[in-house]
Amino acid sequence: MWEINPYEIAKIELEFIAKKLDLPPNIEKFLKNVERSVIVSIPVIMDDGNLKIFEGFRVQHSSVLGPCKGGVRYSQLVTLDEIKALAMLMTWKTSLHRLPFGGSKGGVCVYPKNVSKRELEQITRRYTAEIINMIGPNKDIPAPDIGTDAQTMAYIMDTYSMQHGKTIPGVVTGKPIEIGGSPGRSDAAGTGLFFVIEKYCEKFDYDLKSMTIVIQGFGKVGSVIAKKLYEYGCKIIAITELAGGVYSEKGLDVDLLIEWRDKGKFLKDFKGNSIKSITNEELFKIKCDLLIPVATENQITKHNANDIDCKIILEGANGPTTPKADEILNKKGTIIIPDILANGGGVIVSYFEYVQDINAYYWDLERVNKELKKIILDTFENVCNLAKEKKESLRTASYMIAVSRVAKALQLRGIFP
Ligand code: GLU
């Protein structure tokens, strides 16, 4: 399935940046490893009375800059190496946006739609119990990722709190607002993507409204960025989800598609004037101005990179482009706004939620979005400046900033003992 193993990809990317930064070999060696990785068994009595064991993971890549931070993914396809790669990516993402966190990630091998609500709650509570000594507001703070949501975070928070004899909202972010979640958190990754592409177009003289846009992914992030661009007046000509999707040269009505999806229907079955159903492979062949991969990692590979015909790629997913594909696209002159820069809105607002929980003082949506915009656009400016100065891609510049901050902190702290 992978072009190469995702953790190997993450290490190759780090090696490449280490060379650019001239990092001392010991620092590079240290950062290539994860600090802690745990595999747990999650036994659950299913609705039919039979016991089923699910596999779960939590990986802490780095706590050099602060408590580890990263989502929990529920997917049948989750592997330990995927979680390690995503944990490392979180270290770079939090560092790039100057958040006082390290990086981590978790996962459970389960497809949420294949289990009942009760079974899913049991899985979440038992997973939390198994990793309870690893997590905590000062240690490691989970959040939603693919397949998990605010309800999942509520169960994690409750399980953790019950074991500690008091309510501890700061143990997770992305909670429901009623129990200490932040306004704006559920849309934050999509909102951040919008701020970044809007700024990019303003800075480099593109007219966002007249762009043709193709989006892969219609989940918690994909549908938010699709709706924001649609409301802004952009023409979105294709959207797919895992099972495929729809294409219309005239542009799609995103509100109707969200309504359709919310009824539990597949995008590919949506019918309308001039609308054609398409596969994910076909999606990447559509000529457009802006392509937004916002599904999973390793979607743009050496096998389809040559087919891609767009001016800008805005990475909403984590790791959607393999290094080989990145090379091909850079040679073609395609601009890639990389994941750790573009999709940082989620973890930035997670940070705001954590700050609000710890201070027991809640912000309104206006303040959340204003501060999100400031942080993500400051990062954007820093990345653009370094990319220009060093004549590097936005990805390389982003990684150079992120990795050098962690490396510097590691040098200052030293290696224990
Ligand atoms: N899962 C999200 C990400 O990959 C958010 C992580 C968080 O908020 O901690 O960025």
Side-chain angles (χ1 to χ4, degrees):
M1 182 185 156
W2 313 110
E3 204 162 288
I4 36 174
N5 174 308
Y7 185 40
E8 295 306 319
I9 294 183
K11 287 193 275 189
I12 291 170
E13 276 170 351
L14 177 57
E15 266 167 35
F16 175 74
I17 298 302
K19 230 177 247 135
K20 297 244 172 230
L21 294 171
D22 210 7
L23 279 193
N26 285 346
I27 299 290
E28 179 184 340
K29 209 184 276 175
F30 187 103
L31 294 174
K32 265 190 189 160
N33 276 281
V34 300
E35 285 177 9
R36 189 174 288 112
S37 60
V38 164
I39 304 178
V40 296
S41 290
I42 306 164
V44 171
I45 302 286
M46 305 299 278
D47 292 347
D48 63 7
N50 289 320
L51 177 76
K52 199 167 170 185
I53 315 264
F54 296 87
E55 194 172 39
F57 311 102
R58 186 76 188 167
V59 174
Q60 296 168 344
H61 168 255
S62 169
S63 58
V64 170
L65 289 178
C68 298
K69 185 84 195 80
V72 179
R73 178 171 291 198
Y74 284 1
S75 151
Q76 228 147 15
L77 304 173
V78 161
T79 65
L80 180 61
D81 275 351
E82 178 191 18
I83 299 297
K84 283 185 180 176
L86 292 167
M88 194 193 280
L89 209 69
M90 285 308 299
T91 301
W92 311 142
K93 198 187 299 188
T94 52
S95 165
L96 178 65
H97 294 285
R98 270 195 193 286
L99 306 178
F101 291 133
S104 55
K105 202 82 173 192
V108 177
C109 298
V110 60
Y111 185 51
K113 287 196 175 133
N114 287 352
V115 295
S116 71
K117 266 177 116 167
R118 187 202 65 87
E119 290 164 345
L120 199 59
E121 177 179 345
Q122 298 289 112
I123 291 170
T124 302
R125 289 190 183 275
R126 184 62 192 249
Y127 169 65
T128 308
E130 293 298 334
I131 60 163
I132 206 149
N133 293 324
M134 283 177 86
I135 60 173
N138 299 318
K139 283 187 188 170
D140 183 1
I141 306 126
D145 196 81
I146 293 172
T148 56
D149 56 16
Q151 181 61 68
T152 322
M153 295 308 117
Y155 292 144
I156 296 180
M157 186 274 240
D158 185 67
T159 305
Y160 184 86
S161 297
M162 288 301 114
Q163 294 302 316
H164 287 80
K166 58 186 174 195
T167 296
I168 306 174
V171 64
V172 287
T173 58
K175 296 177 292 296
I177 292 182
E178 294 80 352
I179 55 169
S182 176
R185 175 61 186 89
S186 57
D187 284 359
T191 307
L193 282 171
F194 182 78
F195 288 149
V196 169
I197 191 63
E198 188 188 30
K199 190 62 173 185
Y200 185 91
C201 291
E202 186 192 308
K203 191 173 168 86
F204 295 100
D205 245 358
Y206 286 93
D207 179 16
L208 181 56
K209 279 199 171 92
S210 70
M211 281 187 168
T212 49
I213 301 173
V214 164
I215 302 177
Q216 186 207 27
F218 204 52
K220 289 191 297 276
V221 189
S223 60
V224 173
I225 182 64
K227 190 167 165 60
K228 285 196 184 292
L229 290 166
Y230 179 67
E231 280 169 355
Y232 192 73
C234 304
K235 191 158 119 184
I236 298 162
I237 56 171
I239 305 179
T240 54
E241 57 192 353
L242 198 59
V246 279
Y247 166 78
S248 166
E249 204 187 344
K250 293 195 180 132
L252 297 161
D253 183 327
V254 174
D255 289 333
L256 288 181
L257 292 178
I258 289 177
E259 238 175 71
W260 182 259
R261 181 206 58 184
D262 289 347
K263 286 187 201 148
K265 299 189 182 174
F266 287 123
L267 281 187
K268 67 178 170 55
D269 298 328
F270 185 87
K271 301 274 177 289
N273 218 349
S274 80
I275 292 181
K276 240 177 61 186
S277 104
I278 53 163
T279 63
N280 274 293
E281 291 81 68
E282 286 165 337
L283 176 101
F284 288 117
K285 293 185 182 141
I286 298 169
K287 183 175 161 57
C288 60
D289 297 309
L290 173 63
L291 171 65
I292 312 180
V294 61
T296 56
E297 57 272 25
N298 287 8
Q299 294 301 300
I300 303 178
T301 67
K302 65 179 177 194
H303 304 294
N304 61 9
N306 279 310
D307 294 334
I308 289 175
D309 186 358
C310 71
K311 297 191 181 91
I312 305 169
I313 296 177
L314 178 70
E315 292 186 338
N318 290 319
T321 313
T322 65
K324 276 267 177 304
D326 199 50
E327 209 181 298
I328 296 169
L329 290 160
N330 279 332
K331 269 196 197 122
K332 286 210 295 192
T334 311
I335 298 296
I336 304 179
I337 309 180
D339 47 8
I340 56 170
L341 166 61
N343 76 19
V347 72
I348 292 170
V349 178
S350 272
Y351 167 56
F352 299 157
E353 181 173 328
Y354 174 81
V355 168
Q356 292 171 69
D357 287 339
I358 281 176
N359 292 295
Y361 180 78
Y362 293 104
W363 303 3
D364 61 16
L365 180 63
E366 202 189 342
R367 176 162 180 202
V368 168
N369 281 338
K370 195 172 139 223
E371 304 236 6
L372 164 61
K373 191 170 189 174
K374 181 171 175 352
I375 291 190
I376 206 160
L377 294 186
D378 277 355
T379 303
F380 175 79
E381 277 308 317
N382 289 339
V383 171
C384 289
N385 290 342
L386 188 73
K388 192 170 169 200
E389 184 196 321
K390 303 271 183 208
K391 296 195 175 43
E392 296 285 3
S393 69
L394 295 176
R395 188 187 312 279
T396 301
S398 297
Y399 271 81
M400 284 172 76
I401 295 173
V403 174
S404 65
R405 278 190 194 139
V406 181
K408 180 80 193 152
L410 180 57
Q411 277 167 313
L412 287 168
R413 287 181 60 162
I415 293 170
F416 180 82

